[in-house]
């Protein structure tokens, strides 16, 4: 059983298109994240949801819109894709401790997005 | 936010050699993790270690929280250990805290 699964694994699309990446976790965690890994391998958080509520929203263009239908799912929709959006996007989950911070995070296998 | 620094940035080892990777962080932490990103891009959890010492086979990790650093030891390295090793930390303060990654140590183990 895959703990954190993302689809698709690869996504090649043209500039200007809209695309979505889906993420599901079966760990029973209440907190989920989206991270972006750039070409230099740097991993930076984009969003975090706790029990379907947005709790972290970094400086990300509003073309990126996360959506959490329930605490096991966190999807990422990207409008009007640009060349600079090409990267690997990772979903992750952890069991938050409320206001005291987070426990161990587990990552999905990543979605390699290429905008041409 | 918290700063996470890793060293060395690159490391080449002969198979069978031992190595130590270091992670310094700028604030007290309640979450410190080590990950291995393999050549296929998968991020694999190695250790969740906000303090203390843990061992898993040829790998072990120690976090000295009071001195704000963590070490990852790789003994008898194998070619399958190649990849990028990331340290990630979340500060020990109120509110929801994001996990911040270091830039990683790129390890290449040669036969």
């Amino acid at each position: 059983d895959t703990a954190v699964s993302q689809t698709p694994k690869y996504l090649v699309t043209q500039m200007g298109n809209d695309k979505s990446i889906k993420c599901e976790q079966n760990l029973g965690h209440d907190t989920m994240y989206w991270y972006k890994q750039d070409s230099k391998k740097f991993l930076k958080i984009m969003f975090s949801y706790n029990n379907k509520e947005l709790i972290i929203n970094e400086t990300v263009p509003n073309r990126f819109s996360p959506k959490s239908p329930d605490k096991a799912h966190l999807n990422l929709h990207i409008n009007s894709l640009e060349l600079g959006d090409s990267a690997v996007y990772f979903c992750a989950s952890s069991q938050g401790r409320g206001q005291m911070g987070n426990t161990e995070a587990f990552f999905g296998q990543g979605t390699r997005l290429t905008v041409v | 936010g918290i700063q996470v620094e890793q060293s060395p940035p690159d490391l080449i080892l002969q198979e069978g050699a031992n190595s130590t990777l270091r992670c310094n962080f700028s604030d007290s932490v309640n979450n410190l993790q080590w990950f291995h990103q393999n050549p296929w891009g998968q991020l694999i959890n190695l250790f969740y270690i906000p303090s203390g010492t843990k061992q898993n086979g040829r790998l072990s990790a120690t976090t000295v929280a009071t001195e704000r650093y963590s070490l990852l030891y790789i003994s008898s390295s194998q070619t399958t250990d190649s990849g990028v090793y990331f340290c990630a930390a979340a500060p020990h303060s109120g509110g929801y805290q994001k996990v911040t990654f270091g830039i990683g140590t790129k390890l290449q183990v040669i036969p």
Side-chain angles (χ1 to χ4, degrees):
Chain A
D1 276 347
T2 304
V4 183
S5 60
Q6 298 177 227
T7 54
K9 192 172 180 182
Y10 300 98
L11 186 52
V12 181
T13 188
Q14 289 188 324
M15 272 196 313
N17 283 351
D18 303 338
K19 289 293 178 187
S20 292
I21 307 172
K22 295 186 176 183
C23 180
E24 176 181 5
Q25 55 94 4
N26 62 7
L27 297 167
H29 289 164
D30 62 2
T31 306
M32 295 184 73
Y33 313 82
W34 280 108
Y35 278 80
K36 180 180 180 180
Q37 186 173 42
D38 62 22
S39 57
K40 295 183 180 178
K41 298 285 192 184
F42 184 61
L43 276 151
K44 186 171 165 51
I45 193 167
M46 299 172 68
F47 302 103
S48 177
Y49 271 74
N50 177 264
N51 280 319
K52 305 193 293 176
E53 180 187 350
L54 181 65
I55 56 171
I56 292 173
N57 184 349
E58 289 296 284
T59 309
V60 176
N62 53 18
R63 298 181 295 104
F64 289 77
S65 52
K67 198 163 278 188
S68 182
D70 55 61
K71 72 175 190 177
H73 295 84
L74 181 62
N75 304 323
L76 183 65
H77 188 75
I78 315 170
N79 289 328
S80 304
L81 278 155
E82 300 176 358
L83 293 176
D85 297 331
S86 295
V88 181
Y89 292 84
F90 284 95
C91 175
S93 74
S94 70
Q95 185 60 34
R97 289 188 218 154
Q99 295 296 314
M100 294 304 292
N102 303 313
T103 57
E104 185 176 11
F106 292 85
F107 282 73
Q109 77 274 32
T111 295
R112 182 174 294 277
L113 171 66
T114 303
V115 183
V116 297
Chain B
I2 191 171
Q3 306 299 312
V4 179
E5 295 179 353
Q6 291 186 244
S7 60
D10 295 280
L11 187 58
I12 300 175
L13 293 177
Q14 198 79 41
E15 200 169 22
N18 302 329
S19 65
T20 301
L21 282 55
R22 187 175 180 104
C23 173
N24 293 332
F25 39 91
S26 61
D27 202 349
S28 57
V29 298
N30 69 354
N31 181 334
L32 190 293
Q33 289 185 246
W34 284 97
F35 295 89
H36 175 216
Q37 187 166 37
N38 64 22
W40 295 271
Q42 285 180 294
L43 274 168
I44 299 162
N45 290 46
L46 296 178
F47 295 102
Y48 172 70
I49 187 165
S51 64
T53 297
K54 290 186 178 179
Q55 179 153 9
N56 185 0
R58 295 181 297 104
L59 302 181
S60 64
T62 294
T63 298
V64 184
T66 53
E67 297 187 22
R68 300 185 183 172
Y69 72 88
S70 184
L71 302 174
L72 177 69
Y73 305 97
I74 305 174
S75 63
S76 304
S77 58
Q78 300 176 358
T79 55
T80 51
D81 295 331
S82 295
V84 183
Y85 289 80
F86 289 102
C87 169
H92 194 296
S93 55
Y96 290 101
Q97 298 297 332
K98 62 191 180 190
V99 175
T100 298
F101 280 74
I103 61 168
T105 292
K106 186 175 181 181
L107 172 65
Q108 186 180 357
V109 181
I110 53 178

